[in-house]
């Protein structure tokens, strides 16, 4: 697990108030929304906001592939790395 | 005048877990308890379900949940004068710092957020009402509950809860000596009479929370209490 992956997992736990869960309980490829971790649409908004604040990037909520980037921790890590490289 | 039974009750405040503690609570025990931030236990809910409960919501759930267990679906009358002031305060702080608002904080800052969560987490679609009636909320909540009983509800949960707000509110909010949640299960009967007189004096209404007066009566087996509201004097009389 890379540092970025760990950072994202901690952000998910803190921003969404996931008591009783540690970073090691979230798999890199585990689906975050619906199935898998079981997050919902309010979590998606909250996590989007937390990522923007924490990593200083902008996320276009209406962009077609935003949903794909939020699939799991690995896709988020790839997306955040790419956005940070641009900025 | 209305009559009903108080089938069961529970209350929570920081450091006051047992019913007996309430009987000995003195009215001089005014304290800034929120500095400790003590939260009641809601571990009967899975972590994924309790993650969005504010401290106020946790207090309500902790007090009311056991009263609903093993019961048929129950209408719920939720009373709070100051509601989710803590969430609102946090949102206002974000606004002042020009930061984006938390969707969770925003969506759960409304007055009926607690009953919405209650309805979802208990899978109970009974009628649920959120009231804010200055200092008289306990009594108006009881009137609402009695109306629901008259319509045929088997029992009604009446919950009065306040969270002590941030200290910046101290100049305006003087009726929350400490955070508390009180829950009463009301059903039809004649054990209790609640009556109302118009107040003729112009004294300031007493700021000690009415619900805590009632808890004191319930926990001490005394038979009677009077609550001064803004325009009314309310009398709770135990008949049995």
């Amino acid at each position: 697990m890379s540092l970025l992956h760990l950072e994202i997992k901690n952000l998910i736990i803190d921003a969404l108030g996931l008591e009783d869960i540690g970073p090691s309980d979230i798999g890199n490829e585990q689906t975050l929304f619906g199935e898998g971790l079981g997050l919902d649409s309010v979590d998606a908004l909250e996590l989007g906001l937390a990522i923007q604040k924490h990593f200083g990037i902008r996320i276009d909520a209406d962009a077609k592939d935003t949903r794909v980037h939020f699939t799991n921790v690995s896709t988020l890590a790839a997306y955040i790395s790419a956005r940070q490289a641009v900025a | 005048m209305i009559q009903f039974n108080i089938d069961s009750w529970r209350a929570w405040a920081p450091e006051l877990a047992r019913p007996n503690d309430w009987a000995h609570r003195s009215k001089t025990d005014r304290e800034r308890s929120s500095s400790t931030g003590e939260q009641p236990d809601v571990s009967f809910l899975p972590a994924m379900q309790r993650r969005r409960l504010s401290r106020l919501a946790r207090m309500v759930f902790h007090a009311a949940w056991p009263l609903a267990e093993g019961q048929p679906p129950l209408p719920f009358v939720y009373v709070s004068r100051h509601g989710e002031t803590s969430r609102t305060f946090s949102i206002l702080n974000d606004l002042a710092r020009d930061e984006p608002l938390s969707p969770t904080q925003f969506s759960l800052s409304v007055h009926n957020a607690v009953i919405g969560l209650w309805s979802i987490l208990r899978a109970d679609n009974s009628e649920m009402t959120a009231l804010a009636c200055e200092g008289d909320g306990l009594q108006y909540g009881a009137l609402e509950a009695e109306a629901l009983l008259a319509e045929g509800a088997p029992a009604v949960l009446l919950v009065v809860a306040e969270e002590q707000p941030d200290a910046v509110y101290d100049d305006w909010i003087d009726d929350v000596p400490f955070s508390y949640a009180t829950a009463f299960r009301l059903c039809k009967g004649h054990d209790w009479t609640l009556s109302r007189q118009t107040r003729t004096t112009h004294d300031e209404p007493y700021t000690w929370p009415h619900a805590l007066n009632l808890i004191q009566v319930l926990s001490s087996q005394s038979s009677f209490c009077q609550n001064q509201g803004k325009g009314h004097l309310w009398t709770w009389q135990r008949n049995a």
Side-chain angles (χ1 to χ4, degrees), chain A residues 58-70 79 83:
Chain A
R58 289 227 9 100
I59 297 173
D60 181 359
D62 297 325
K64 251 194 304 188
D65 42 2
T66 298
R67 179 181 279 268
V68 180
H69 299 314
F70 278 71
Y79 174 64
R83 292 303 301 253

Side-chain angles (χ1 to χ4, degrees), chain A residues 15-21 37-43 45-46 49 53, chain B residues 42 46-48 50-53 58 94 99-105 107:
Chain A
L16 307 182
L18 304 181
E19 301 174 22
D20 301 355
I21 290 183
L37 196 55
L39 303 179
D40 61 25
S41 57
V42 177
D43 292 314
L45 291 169
E46 196 71 39
L49 181 69
K53 272 189 183 177
Chain B
V42 285
M48 286 301 274
R50 61 178 188 257
R51 74 192 196 277
R52 287 193 188 131
L53 301 183
R58 283 164 196 256
D94 285 343
E99 287 186 5
L101 305 185
S102 153
T104 311
Q105 293 276 28
S107 62

